[in-house]
């Protein structure tokens, strides 16, 4: 059974930075897709950034130029460096990875709050 464990959330002031990390365990194989999603109160979950094993990445327009996604295939980890954070970046951030056996897995989520 694959498990994804996120870390790195917290409270930060507008303009500040945070780094989220997600580690996958339970599989010796690196997943093709690893990504970060977020869900703000009352809103749908949305893709923030994603990256493949070939390091092809894509970003939501709202975070381009501020967030950077990276991964370590050997360690099965993915990170999200978030700079110039805005109040509207406040959300629960979720890691997603897969497929393993045609299944994608989600982490438990980590809260990011941007507030002065």
């Amino acid at each position: 059974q694959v498990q994804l464990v996120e870390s790195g959330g917290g409270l930060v002031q507008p303009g500040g930075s945070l780094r989220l990390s997600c580690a996958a365990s339970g599989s010796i194989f690196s997943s093709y897709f690893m990504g970060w999603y977020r869900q703000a109160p009352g809103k749908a979950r949305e893709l923030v950034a994603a990256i493949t094993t070939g390091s092809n990445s894509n970003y939501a327009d709202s975070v381009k130029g501020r967030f950077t996604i990276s991964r370590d295939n050997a360690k099965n980890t993915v990170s999200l460096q978030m700079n110039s954070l805005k109040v509207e970046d406040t959300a629960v951030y979720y890691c997603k990875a897969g497929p393993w056996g045609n299944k994608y897995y989600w982490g438990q989520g980590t809260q990011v709050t941007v507030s002065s």
Side-chain angles (χ1 to χ4, degrees):
Q1 181 73 8
V2 175
Q3 287 188 320
L4 303 180
V5 179
E6 301 125 334
S7 60
L11 172 65
V12 64
Q13 292 185 341
S17 298
L18 281 176
R19 185 176 180 85
L20 305 182
S21 296
C22 173
S25 62
S27 173
I28 63 172
F29 299 106
S30 179
S31 64
Y32 173 75
F33 171 93
M34 300 190 89
W36 288 95
Y37 291 71
R38 68 186 180 187
Q39 188 166 20
K43 295 188 177 181
R45 191 173 296 189
E46 63 175 357
L47 176 67
V48 176
I51 188 167
T52 66
T53 48
S55 295
N56 293 312
S57 59
N58 64 287
Y59 297 87
D61 287 344
S62 59
V63 306
K64 283 180 181 176
R66 301 188 297 121
F67 291 10
T68 303
I69 190 170
S70 60
R71 65 183 290 167
D72 184 327
N73 292 330
K75 296 181 179 179
N76 250 347
T77 60
V78 62
S79 297
L80 185 69
Q81 178 65 42
M82 305 186 294
N83 298 328
S84 302
L85 282 160
K86 303 176 180 181
V87 172
E88 52 263 42
D89 293 318
T90 296
V92 178
Y93 284 69
Y94 297 90
C95 173
K96 179 182 179 182
W100 286 285
N102 297 320
K103 184 176 179 180
Y104 287 81
Y105 293 83
W106 290 90
Q108 80 285 357
T110 185
Q111 177 69 46
V112 171
T113 302
V114 185
S115 175
S116 55

